[in-house]
Structure formats: C-alpha cells, structure tokens
Amino acid sequence: MKQVAILISARGSNMEALCRASRAPDAAYHVCRVISNRPEAEGLNWANTNGFESLAVDHKQFPNKASFEEKLHAELIACGAEYVCLAGFMRLLSAEFVQSWRGRLLNIHPSLLPSFAGLTPQQRALDAGVRLSGCTVHFVSEIMDAGPIIAQTVVPVLKDDTEDTISGRILRAEHQTYWPALSAVCKGQVSWDNGERATVSEQLDTSLHGCLDL
Ligand code: GAR
C-alpha cells in the first residue's frame, strides 16, 4: 500500500473524500499525513477528529518560499510519503520542489484543463458561456495547472447557474474523481515518463473519465 500525504489550505473537502476512500478494504493507499499551510484551515479539524495525522506548516512563519518548502519537504519525507496530493492547496510550489516530487505530485483543479487554469475558474467558465465544465486531476509540473492529465469528469453548466451552484456541482465531481485517479497512480496504472502526457493503462483509460451522474 502506498503512503500518501495531502496538502490543504482551507475547507479540505477533497482531502476528506481522499481520506474516506483510503478506509475501503481494498484501498491502494494509506493517508500518512494531512498538512496545511494555514493553521486555521477547517480541514485540519476534520482530519484530527477522524484519526488522520495532521500538521500545520504555516508559510507565514518562514522568511521565504525556499525555507517553507524545505520544511514541507522534510515533513513529507518524515511521514514516509511516496505520493503527495494537493487538495485546495493554494500556494504556488517552486520548480525545485515540483521536480523533486516529479510524477508523485498530483493536483485537482475545478475546470476541464487546459481551459480556465488559475484562479476563479468556475466564474470564468460561466462568463465564457461554456455548456460543459468539470474537474481535472493532473500531475503537477513547473507550469501552474498544466501538468499531464490523469482524469477528468464533466458536469453540465445549467441556464440559471451561479458561481456557487456550478462550483458545488463541480466539487461533487471532484470528490468522485480524485481518489480513483490517485488509486490508479498508486497501482502503477498511470505514469509520466517523458513529455507532456501521462500514460494511462488501456483498460483504465475510459473509467477515469466520465460525466457526473446527476
Ligand atoms: C477545490 O474546488 C479545488 O479543486 C480547488 O480548490 C477547491 C478546494 O476545496 N483547487 C484549486 O483551485 C487549485 N488550483 P476543498 O478545500 O473543499 O477541497
């Protein structure tokens, strides 16, 4: 079973979905630690009260990004993490950090990448008038929200959607998308060897992508 650490910054509902899935009898991974860069993150309370080891590494306590990341890296090594999932972790990681976890660092983003990378993707999707949106799980590369895609789930954009309603629908899709994608990576069914794209084993390719069952 692979050891997985989860990095969060606030609510942590994706972290919660990843943690819950890790308790299934046939789970491919164990959550060894939840780390937040914000001590007040709501998700830390959930992790604590539900038996997951958690820790705050407050970025504000460090003089610069390099020393914050050095501590983060040390904590990840100390808990035996083999894979790291960003789950609403709202700090940009340096190229050095990303390279040292290459192929073992995953992120989830609330849009169908490469559309709407960056902040407020749900509102920008509404503004653009797209009819379909969704979420993407991808390996993290040096370029924000641009690493090789592992899994995507599509959701409809409805006529009366607000940023809240579309965000909620996408979030429900995120909770159903992250853990199967992580599990596939942990089982060695997805890899990122070279180039821009991840390699997904053939039988899995279709099951990692889908539409949210409304
Ligand atoms: C999620 O929608 C996640 O995809 C997004 O932040 C939210 C965190 O919610 N992440 C990004 O936008 C990263 N670019 P959560 O804390 O409840 O999981």
Side-chain angles (χ1 to χ4, degrees), residues 36-104:
S36 172
N37 66 301
R38 290 178 58 241
E40 66 277 23
E42 305 90 302
L44 279 181
N45 289 335
W46 185 90
N48 271 329
T49 51
N50 286 275
F52 292 91
E53 202 187 312
S54 64
L55 177 74
V57 178
D58 183 353
H59 66 277
K60 292 191 184 134
Q61 303 297 319
F62 295 85
N64 51 41
K65 191 190 202 62
S67 54
F68 165 64
E69 289 186 351
E70 202 175 301
K71 173 71 172 162
L72 201 54
H73 184 75
E75 291 295 346
L76 293 169
I77 299 296
C79 69
E82 297 165 277
Y83 292 91
V84 178
C85 287
L86 308 183
F89 182 72
M90 302 312 265
R91 305 293 301 170
L92 271 184
L93 294 164
S94 69
E96 290 71 27
F97 186 95
V98 168
Q99 275 153 16
S100 64
W101 289 92
R102 192 179 192 278
R104 300 183 299 140

Side-chain angles (χ1 to χ4, degrees), residues 10-15 87-88 90 107-110 122 145 171 174:
R11 181 177 56 190
S13 70
N14 275 292
M15 173 272 301
M90 302 312 265
N107 181 44
I108 190 159
H109 184 76
Q122 303 96 332
D145 298 331
L171 194 65
E174 294 183 47

Side-chain angles (χ1 to χ4, degrees), residues 1 5 11 31 38 52 64 78 80 100 124 132 144 146 156 163 166 168 176-178 180 197 203:
M1 187 177 298
R11 181 177 56 190
V31 176
R38 290 178 58 241
F52 292 91
N64 51 41
S100 64
R124 286 186 292 127
L132 297 169
M144 187 186 61
E163 187 179 16
I166 185 66
Q176 296 173 22
T177 308
Y178 211 168
R197 296 179 61 166
Q203 315 87 292

